[in-house]
Amino acid sequence: MAGLFESAGGGGAVLALDELEASILRSLEVQMLELIGPGPGGEGDGSGDPLAALFAEGPSKAPDDPALARLFPDAYGDPARPADEESREAAGEFRRYTELDLRARKREDALQVVRALDGLGGEGGLVNLDAAACLRWLGALNDLRLTLGVRLEVTEDDEQGLYDLPDTDERKPLVMAYLWLGALQESLLEALTD
């Protein structure tokens, strides 16, 4: 079935994509790279002075963009309640020393997908992934789905309602992408457990 992962054995997976699916997925991942931002030193691939990168400190405040806040949540405090001063300080300290690494990992996950899709030469085809690449793709798909979920304001209570949106609803293309990414993610998990 086009568009879903199948087990390739040995912890790997294979994905058959048509040209449109590959183009949509690549476009979404490029947008994810833009959202995450460049690496240390302003370079998109994160390469630069390795010593400076080792001692670089990240931000101490949560991002203002709700999608970025979902991708880089506070490590302390209850998300359902306003944070007290102690939780804010602890979250800020944790974020300062971990967010750059988390951003780099998310950037590498997205780049893994883009590079694999670029390997198709702008056409559809089979993407063969080894076990390590499967984990990168799983992370990248999860990040895309979380971001689209925030943009669409999806909650657990109304996710079923997404299937019933009329074709005239302007959110329909994003909802279709959100649901497809969920199916991709689920099929990759199943392929990894086969």
Side-chain angles (χ1 to χ4, degrees):
M1 173 180 213
L4 296 178
F5 284 95
E6 294 181 15
S7 176
V14 63
L15 174 64
L17 293 172
D18 64 30
E19 185 176 343
L20 180 61
E21 291 168 327
S23 174
I24 290 169
L25 187 54
R26 187 185 188 288
S27 175
L28 289 170
E29 288 296 353
V30 168
Q31 291 175 56
M32 177 60 64
L33 287 166
E34 291 171 0
L35 179 67
I36 292 169
E43 296 185 24
D45 64 1
S47 63
D49 181 359
L51 188 57
L54 183 63
F55 292 105
E57 291 183 8
S60 60
K61 292 184 178 182
D64 291 331
D65 183 322
L68 284 173
R70 181 71 173 101
L71 292 174
F72 307 106
D74 280 336
Y76 295 93
D78 183 350
R81 292 190 218 152
D84 59 29
E85 188 62 31
E86 186 178 340
S87 294
R88 262 194 304 278
E89 286 179 21
E93 276 301 296
F94 186 81
R95 180 179 297 281
R96 179 177 315 191
Y97 297 109
T98 60
E99 186 170 314
L100 291 180
D101 287 340
L102 185 56
R103 280 182 184 265
R105 195 203 73 205
K106 290 181 181 299
R107 192 177 303 106
E108 280 302 315
D109 290 350
L111 281 170
Q112 172 83 33
V113 174
V114 170
R115 288 176 185 137
L117 295 173
D118 284 349
L120 297 178
E123 299 177 10
L126 291 179
V127 177
N128 290 294
L129 305 175
D130 61 19
C134 284
L135 295 178
R136 290 260 188 214
W137 273 65
L138 198 54
L141 293 172
N142 187 59
D143 291 343
L144 280 176
R145 197 154 186 273
L146 287 173
T147 300
L148 284 177
V150 169
R151 297 289 192 240
L152 291 166
E153 299 178 351
V154 174
T155 65
E156 288 181 33
D157 298 333
D158 69 359
E159 189 166 316
Q160 183 58 39
L162 295 177
Y163 291 95
D164 301 326
L165 279 180
D167 290 341
T168 56
D169 191 308
E170 64 185 26
R171 299 172 298 161
K172 186 76 173 200
L174 285 181
V175 167
M176 292 176 65
Y178 175 81
L179 296 172
W180 177 54
L181 291 168
L184 274 176
Q185 195 175 12
E186 185 177 337
S187 69
L188 180 52
L189 285 169
E190 288 173 4
L192 292 175
T193 58
D194 282 349

